[in-house]
Amino acid sequence: MKVLFVGDGQLGQMLGASGISHGHECLLFSTRTQEVKPLSAHVALPWTLAEAIDWADVVSWEHEAIPADVIAAAHDKFLMDPARIKSLTDRRAEKKLFDDCRVGTSPWQSYGTVSELEKLLSKAEQPLVLKAARGGYDGKGQWRFKPGDDIQALAAEAGKEPGIAEHMIPFNKEVSLVGARGKDGSVCCYPLITNVHTQGILSYSLGGIDEVPEALQQQAEEAFHRLTTALNYVGVFAIEFFVVGEGKEAELLINEVAPRVHNSGHWTMSGANCSQFDLHMRALTGMPFPQLHIEPTLMLNVIGAQQIPVGLWHHQDAQCHWYNKDPRPGRKVGHVNIRTANLATAKTWVKQWRERLQVLA
Ligand code: ATP
Ligand code: MG
């Protein structure tokens, strides 16, 4: 099969690599430079977007900001309505989807102007997180508010763009569910992944390490089912949750979704018999999903570092991935997967390597 991916970042590259290993031909379309590129190459093909679409059997994506011209030109080659996916780049549409599907999320309101935001903040009785409706990632385009703060100054800054204000959630931890939905509606999910963020950026993920209460896994998979069914989704889909409450009282609130492969799923490249990229390729090509076998794996992001230390490249338990991007503080430039026996060993790895691998802004 011939697959064209929209986007040529690391997710597109890793999707393409998986596609090749399944015997498919893959090309990437850079939405930044409008070029059609073979996998891993910096030289472009002398092809127009229309020619690449014509060549492809299927068009998929590494990021949800699918340009309107691609949506129009490739309409017949998508396995689902890409306009619905693009709508998820707006947090208002995303939160509305959660409410429509009746999956629990932090209470929210939208605002369109500085004065609307001022009014909203002046009535607020609890801490809020303000998020720009569009364009935020890695914690960018977000502001924190608590009653008593300077409303005018905050509204002047945050209200420049439309956004949402949601209750600040006092969560115990953050987890994500990564899974895939096939053309026939079948679903395959990994166990809930524990995620730790620093300054809004994913620092590390624990895959198959934490014990996940069955009730939470079920709640997460129910949300996955409802959201992907409502979207008539095909492919890998990720949901970020907050865990609130302890023990038997614990439950999940959705933070946000990513209609694509996700950074918190990178551990599956080492810790599962079928990686999230393989799972996406299976969904696109109608191959059945496998029975998943999981090995506990820590995924440490490489953020802003100039390189991955040689000691890790040589370590028998570590698999290093370098994205060939220019490092700058706060930018994800690679990740390292480390198979670990248990949580204590994972924490030792984090303690030993995190500072050397992560340079934040
Ligand atoms: P990503 O890079 O995952 O796309 P993002 O910038 O889109 O991130 P969010 O995931 O919404 O934004 O927020 C980043 C982080 O900020 C969250 O992982 C969480 O730690 C914190 N956060 C966001 N919303 C809330 C909230 N309502 N209450 C408490 N913490 C929050
Ligand atoms: Mg997030």
Side-chain angles (χ1 to χ4, degrees):
M1 196 174 262
K2 298 187 181 85
V3 186
L4 175 68
F5 289 101
V6 178
D8 66 338
Q10 68 267 21
L11 299 180
Q13 302 288 353
M14 293 188 276
L15 281 165
S18 166
I20 290 173
S21 76
H22 285 76
H24 306 301
E25 290 182 59
C26 300
L27 289 176
L28 308 175
F29 175 68
S30 167
T31 49
R32 211 169 22 88
T33 63
Q34 305 289 304
E35 288 171 318
V36 178
K37 292 179 174 173
L39 219 62
S40 170
H42 289 257
V43 283
L45 294 179
W47 277 20
T48 61
L49 171 62
E51 284 169 323
I53 290 170
D54 203 38
W55 165 89
D57 298 310
V58 173
V59 177
S60 185
W61 55 85
E62 67 148 16
H63 63 70
E64 50 275 40
I66 308 167
D69 59 333
V70 180
I71 291 183
H75 220 270
D76 300 342
K77 304 279 172 93
F78 287 106
L79 294 177
M80 49 174 298
D81 181 2
R84 301 233 38 209
I85 297 311
K86 196 184 177 191
S87 77
L88 295 177
T89 57
D90 188 314
R91 287 192 188 270
R92 294 166 295 189
E94 190 182 9
K95 285 289 235 182
K96 184 170 179 306
L97 175 71
F98 303 159
D99 290 346
D100 290 347
C101 290
R102 289 200 258 149
V103 289
T105 188
S106 163
W108 65 288
Q109 274 179 279
S110 64
Y111 56 83
T113 61
V114 171
S115 64
E116 273 177 36
L117 180 55
E118 275 178 1
K119 209 191 256 168
L120 186 159
L121 295 177
S122 62
K123 289 189 191 148
E125 289 171 356
Q126 65 286 302
L128 299 175
V129 182
L130 310 180
K131 300 182 178 180
R134 294 173 182 278
Y137 69 99
D138 287 346
K140 295 183 179 67
Q142 290 193 17
W143 299 264
R144 303 285 192 265
F145 170 81
K146 55 180 180 346
D149 286 354
D150 183 341
I151 287 177
Q152 276 182 338
L154 179 60
E157 172 64 24
K160 279 183 197 151
E161 305 278 341
I164 61 162
E166 62 178 28
H167 288 193
M168 175 96 76
I169 302 299
F171 57 80
N172 290 330
K173 66 174 182 174
E174 293 187 83
V175 297
S176 58
L177 186 73
V178 175
R181 182 172 183 272
K183 292 190 230 183
D184 59 356
S186 57
V187 163
C188 177
C189 294
Y190 298 98
L192 279 168
I193 303 153
T194 296
N195 300 314
V196 177
H197 295 80
T198 319
Q199 292 180 23
I201 305 178
L202 182 63
S203 175
Y204 65 91
S205 295
L206 303 169
I209 296 179
D210 275 0
E211 289 239 337
V212 179
E214 186 53 33
L216 288 192
Q217 183 75 26
Q218 267 179 20
Q219 198 197 333
E221 291 194 19
E222 174 63 28
F224 186 98
H225 181 76
R226 284 191 200 184
L227 294 169
T228 55
T229 304
L231 292 165
N232 202 15
Y233 192 84
V234 178
V236 166
F237 189 88
I239 310 179
E240 296 177 17
F241 296 98
F242 300 125
V243 181
V244 292
E246 298 275 3
K248 287 202 170 132
E249 306 292 300
E251 54 173 18
L252 300 174
L253 285 181
I254 291 201
N255 174 27
E256 59 171 359
V257 297
R260 56 172 162 77
V261 288
H262 192 253
N263 189 182
S264 72
H266 288 1
W267 65 275
T268 60
M269 296 171 92
S270 307
N273 57 328
C274 182
S275 75
Q276 64 165 342
F277 305 99
D278 296 343
L279 213 53
H280 188 73
M281 291 313 302
R282 283 181 180 243
L284 289 190
T285 57
M287 230 177 143
F289 295 135
Q291 185 75 37
L292 290 178
H293 296 288
I294 304 301
E295 288 196 47
T297 303
L298 159 72
M299 191 279 312
L300 255 173
N301 264 333
V302 184
I303 304 169
Q306 294 299 317
Q307 58 186 0
I308 298 175
V310 170
L312 279 176
W313 283 104
H314 288 175
H315 200 290
Q316 61 180 5
D317 293 333
Q319 288 87 44
C320 299
H321 298 262
W322 181 254
Y323 304 155
N324 196 18
K325 287 158 79 173
D326 289 333
R328 55 170 185 267
R331 186 180 202 204
K332 291 172 187 163
V333 290
H335 72 272
V336 182
N337 285 342
I338 300 148
R339 276 198 226 126
T340 58
N342 52 42
L343 187 58
T345 326
K347 287 196 167 157
T348 308
W349 275 95
V350 171
K351 212 166 156 198
Q352 188 177 353
W353 291 99
R354 177 149 63 154
E355 269 184 26
R356 288 162 71 182
L357 292 176
Q358 300 184 354
V359 181
L360 302 171

